[in-house]
Amino acid sequence: MPDTARRLVVILLFDGVDLLDVTGPPEVFSLALRETEEAAGYRVLLAAATTDPVTTGAGVRVLPDVTFAEAAAGAIDTLIVPGAVEVDAERRVHPLVDPRLVEWVRVLAARAHRVASVCVGAHLLAAAGLLDGKRATTHWSTARRLAADHPAVTVDADPIFIREGDVWTGAGISACLDLSLALIADDLGEAVALRVARQLVMYLKRPSGQSQFSAPLEQVSTTRRVEDLRHHVLRHLDAPLTVADLAAYAHVSDRHLTRLFKTELGMTPHAYVESVRVEKARQELESSDATLERVAALCGFGTTDTLVRAFRRRLNTTPTEYRRRFRLPARH
């Protein structure tokens, strides 16, 4: 395989892999060639252990272009590592991490200019040691597992994607499109990425800091008391909702309340309340013409300054910019 191909993208292929993880990025990259006058663009190769057909998690068989060994023989611009999961009898999701595949990730990453994981592919990068000392994301359902298995990795389950130098990690399966757009913007500029996004009928581009899931839809807690507290928060967002207020409602001490939230939800009561308020504000900004002052009041922020600071902290954007990007069209 020649090593002179410009922007050569190699995508790992293996049994059980998530189909969209594999097929999404090539669709995005192919549009980049259509939307630019450059003669080059991207060349995508699917690499597997052998060139025999691979059966994806969706049951669709895919034919590899090259073997891992052949891919490792030349220089790679971008190595994309998708993921695979299995679901147990209790419907818990577990990432699949094959040690033989992890070793090939190490080998191929050493030949690549940059490496990107899609969804639970981050578990393969972490197992290969490529995320040590770095901040990374993955699908929210396996984020705690990633953090527990790899304490050297700073796992942030919230963003759509994260870039740490030449290593990129993406969140849910559909986020592979956002990640691919970000790679195109990095290579060819925002204008080309914008044209590609329009072809995909996508917004360009969901900020890397945009949350991959809604706070009220996070993993359900295991105790009725915390679940009751969460519903109480949702119903009373315009109230102060201090630690003391929540502790009094739950009939526990402030210290015990904080311990409950950290154990069950992995965050402090203050952080949880702010996350729910930001989620509610997002919904208002997407679906209504309410002023920022009105949104701040409805969601319990009190002032627009507090609202703006929360958006910057959690979404790396402002309420005004968020509305501009994600305002839903009015229904007629």
Side-chain angles (χ1 to χ4, degrees):
M1 184 181 65
D3 61 2
T4 56
R6 192 176 183 188
R7 299 191 184 98
L8 174 63
V9 179
V10 173
I11 302 176
L12 267 62
L13 194 60
F14 51 92
D15 283 333
V17 69
D18 286 325
L19 180 61
L20 187 57
D21 285 8
V22 174
T23 59
E27 288 289 346
V28 180
F29 293 134
S30 69
L31 289 174
L33 180 59
R34 183 198 304 180
E35 294 300 324
T36 180
E37 295 178 357
E38 293 187 23
Y42 298 91
R43 179 187 177 207
V44 178
L45 293 178
L46 304 182
T50 72
T51 54
D52 294 334
V54 170
T55 302
T56 67
V60 177
R61 301 175 76 203
V62 179
L63 189 66
D65 298 301
V66 296
T67 65
F68 291 146
E70 290 170 335
I76 301 169
D77 182 77
T78 305
L79 175 67
I80 295 182
V81 180
V85 300
E86 61 180 2
V87 181
D88 64 23
E90 297 180 6
R91 306 201 61 78
R92 291 175 299 193
V93 176
H94 303 279
L96 296 180
V97 181
D98 184 336
R100 294 167 298 180
L101 188 58
V102 170
E103 186 54 39
W104 276 116
V105 169
R106 289 195 188 98
V107 171
L108 292 166
R111 302 291 297 153
H113 170 66
R114 65 186 175 191
V115 180
S117 66
V118 181
C119 199
V120 297
H123 292 262
L124 293 169
L125 293 192
L130 300 176
L131 299 182
D132 287 355
K134 292 182 170 62
R135 180 170 162 261
T137 193
T138 187
H139 192 273
W140 62 266
S141 65
T142 68
R144 290 186 181 180
R145 173 72 174 271
L146 182 63
D149 289 349
H150 303 281
V153 181
T154 302
V155 179
D156 186 345
D158 208 36
I160 295 294
F161 63 87
I162 291 175
R163 178 183 185 178
E164 286 276 307
D166 58 0
V167 178
W168 304 60
T169 51
I173 295 175
S174 64
C176 69
L177 305 180
D178 300 280
L179 179 61
S180 300
L181 282 172
L183 294 172
I184 290 173
D186 190 51
D187 291 335
L188 305 176
E190 294 283 348
V192 173
L194 175 59
R195 294 200 295 271
V196 172
R198 286 173 176 164
Q199 290 292 334
L200 291 165
V201 197
M202 288 177 64
Y203 290 103
L204 178 76
K205 49 192 170 28
R206 289 196 287 178
S208 64
Q210 187 182 343
S211 178
Q212 60 169 297
F213 59 93
S214 302
L217 300 181
E218 293 173 11
Q219 184 175 359
V220 176
S221 57
T222 59
T223 66
R224 182 174 297 178
R225 173 174 284 170
V226 175
E227 277 301 288
D228 186 39
L229 278 165
R230 291 175 61 174
H231 287 292
H232 176 74
V233 168
L234 283 170
R235 292 193 302 266
H236 300 88
L237 281 182
D238 56 347
L241 296 177
T242 64
V243 171
D245 293 330
L246 295 176
Y249 175 80
H251 304 292
V252 297
S253 68
D254 292 7
R255 181 176 298 180
H256 184 56
L257 179 87
T258 299
R259 186 163 57 248
L260 279 174
F261 269 77
K262 286 186 175 180
T263 300
E264 295 288 335
L265 303 177
M267 65 182 75
T268 65
H270 173 78
Y272 180 76
V273 169
E274 182 179 79
S275 72
V276 177
R277 283 177 166 153
V278 168
E279 174 61 24
K280 174 64 174 176
R282 285 172 55 189
Q283 295 172 4
E284 289 293 328
L285 292 169
E286 290 172 4
S287 61
S288 79
D289 294 319
T291 64
L292 293 189
E293 290 81 2
R294 177 61 177 162
V295 172
L298 282 172
C299 302
F301 287 108
T303 67
T304 55
D305 285 344
T306 305
L307 172 67
V308 169
R309 287 196 298 270
F311 261 64
R312 286 195 180 279
R313 182 163 50 247
R314 293 193 167 270
L315 304 181
N316 195 30
T317 189
T318 65
T320 300
E321 175 64 11
Y322 185 89
R323 171 174 271 166
R324 187 185 71 80
R325 290 174 183 259
F326 302 108
R327 177 74 167 90
L328 298 174
R331 293 183 178 180
H332 300 287

